[in-house]
Amino acid sequence: MSKAFTKESEDDEDPDSTPQLPQGVKNYITPCGHQRLKDEFDQLWKVERPELVKTITWAASNGDRSENGDYIYGKRRLREIDRRLRFLSKRLDNAEVVDPAQRGDCDQVFFGATVTVCNSQGEEHTYSIVGMDEAEPGRGRISWISPLAKALLKAREGDVVKLHTPGGLEELEVVEIRYEAL
């Protein structure tokens, strides 16, 4: 059977690369992270999608759709945009915005904290505990549900936390805790 007569399935597409929230867990997010998601949603909904619909309409008016690259690519891209819009809409609806700057002077590690830790080799590393949608481990921004963040939560300056890693048990000393706008 010719591919022109088969319907493409949305199941063939890769699911969104962002992990799903565990069941019954709130989607904590910083104000900056919430604004980034909102800006992405607005860009897709108000700019990219309407332009793409115009292109698809024009391509469809040209006739034969089976070999019309603009039409085929446009429909595929439209499905991608719609899938991302649904994902962002769910995340924004379930988001609980937590401003770390509002916490003030706190001596315990909670969501939004920037924590400096020292490992057994004397190396210091700084991590900011943020929401799942704004985590960037390479930049020191870790998700609040990551193993490292879970080990650090509720610790105080001077505490030693134990982290189970693939290389074995690692002990980290909490050196400094700050709350600032991220």
Side-chain angles (χ1 to χ4, degrees), residues 7 21-22 29 45-46 106 115 118 124 147 156 162-163 175:
K7 181 178 182 205
L21 286 169
I29 192 166
W45 182 250
K46 295 177 182 174
C106 185
V115 184
C118 182
E124 286 192 359
R156 299 176 190 276
K162 296 180 184 192
L163 177 65
V175 178

Side-chain angles (χ1 to χ4, degrees), residues 27-39:
N27 184 23
Y28 294 114
I29 192 166
T30 64
C32 291
H34 187 265
Q35 188 60 47
R36 276 193 296 269
L37 290 182
K38 195 170 179 328
D39 291 345

Side-chain angles (χ1 to χ4, degrees), residues 17-160:
S17 62
T18 307
Q20 295 298 315
L21 286 169
Q23 195 68 16
V25 173
K26 294 183 180 178
N27 184 23
Y28 294 114
I29 192 166
T30 64
C32 291
H34 187 265
Q35 188 60 47
R36 276 193 296 269
L37 290 182
K38 195 170 179 328
D39 291 345
E40 181 184 355
F41 183 88
D42 290 342
Q43 172 70 19
L44 290 171
W45 182 250
K46 295 177 182 174
V47 179
E48 288 185 39
R49 192 175 193 286
E51 287 178 14
L52 190 57
V53 168
K54 286 179 191 174
T55 303
I56 293 170
T57 303
W58 168 80
S61 70
N62 288 338
D64 184 15
R65 296 177 188 174
S66 65
E67 295 181 14
N68 187 332
D70 289 328
Y71 179 80
I72 294 168
Y73 171 76
K75 291 292 282 185
R76 183 173 294 136
R77 178 69 182 134
L78 186 62
R79 282 192 303 274
E80 292 169 1
I81 288 174
D82 287 344
R83 188 180 69 237
R84 183 68 181 167
L85 285 169
R86 282 190 304 275
F87 173 81
L88 289 171
S89 178
K90 286 178 187 175
R91 286 293 171 105
L92 288 168
D93 288 346
N94 296 327
E96 187 163 326
V97 180
V98 178
D99 190 356
Q102 300 293 324
R103 187 162 288 280
D105 213 13
C106 185
D107 65 343
Q108 269 188 306
V109 178
F110 291 108
F111 179 85
T114 299
V115 184
T116 303
V117 296
C118 182
N119 64 16
S120 57
Q121 289 81 30
E123 301 167 332
E124 286 192 359
H125 298 281
T126 302
Y127 302 101
S128 296
I129 301 174
V130 296
M132 285 181 58
D133 298 313
E134 45 190 337
E136 298 176 67
R139 293 185 56 210
R141 298 169 60 91
I142 59 173
S143 168
W144 69 276
I145 63 170
S146 69
L148 176 57
K150 284 182 177 182
L152 291 171
L153 287 174
K154 297 187 181 177
R156 299 176 190 276
E157 285 185 18
D159 285 356
V160 175

